[in-house]
């Protein structure tokens, strides 16, 4: 269920955000919603973002929180297993 939210911000920031949203082909509401999802996600902290990518792009960052991973998920182990499967064909 969608609910309306009113925010008060600097006019210049709003204009920049609208321009960015238009360039990305997304709505401002979508950008704000995904940002809130990202910062409120308990499974993805800023440190984990840096582990995944040294310099995440806004698009990559916007995808955080879209998927829920198991609590015991180990990205290093997963990557190693996939590499072994791909390159060490038995």
């Amino acid at each position: 269920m969608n609910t309306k939210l009113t925010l008060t911000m600097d006019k210049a920031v709003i204009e920049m955000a609208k321009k960015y949203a238009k360039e990305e082909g997304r709505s401002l509401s979508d950008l704000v919603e995904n940002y809130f999802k990202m910062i409120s996600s308990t499974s993805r902290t800023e440190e984990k973002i840096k582990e995944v990518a040294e310099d995440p792009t806004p698009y990559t960052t916007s995808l955080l929180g879209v998927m829920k991973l198991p609590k015991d998920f180990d990205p290093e182990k997963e990557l190693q297993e996939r590499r072994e499967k791909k390159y060490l064909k038995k």
Side-chain angles (χ1 to χ4, degrees), residues 2-88:
N2 289 336
T3 303
K4 187 173 182 174
L5 171 67
T6 302
L7 301 172
T8 304
M9 291 188 269
D10 184 89
K11 186 175 183 175
V13 173
I14 294 170
E15 293 306 315
M16 286 187 303
K18 285 181 179 180
K19 181 180 176 188
Y20 175 80
K22 185 176 182 179
E23 289 170 357
E24 294 296 311
R26 298 171 67 186
S27 70
L28 193 53
S29 293
D30 181 51
L31 292 176
V32 171
E33 180 178 358
N34 282 301
Y35 177 72
F36 286 167
K37 285 178 183 177
M38 181 191 71
I39 64 171
S40 63
S41 172
T42 56
S43 65
R44 290 285 184 192
T45 63
E46 191 169 327
E47 293 156 9
K48 288 184 182 178
I49 293 170
K50 289 179 184 175
E51 287 175 15
V52 174
E54 286 298 314
D55 187 25
T57 64
Y59 178 75
T60 303
T61 306
S62 74
L63 295 174
L64 294 172
V66 172
M67 215 172 104
K68 298 293 181 201
L69 298 172
K71 295 229 185 252
D72 62 344
F73 181 77
D74 181 358
E76 297 288 328
K77 182 179 175 188
E78 184 70 24
L79 181 60
Q80 181 65 30
E81 288 174 0
R82 288 178 184 258
R83 285 180 176 157
E84 287 173 3
K85 184 177 179 181
K86 182 175 182 178
Y87 297 110
L88 299 177

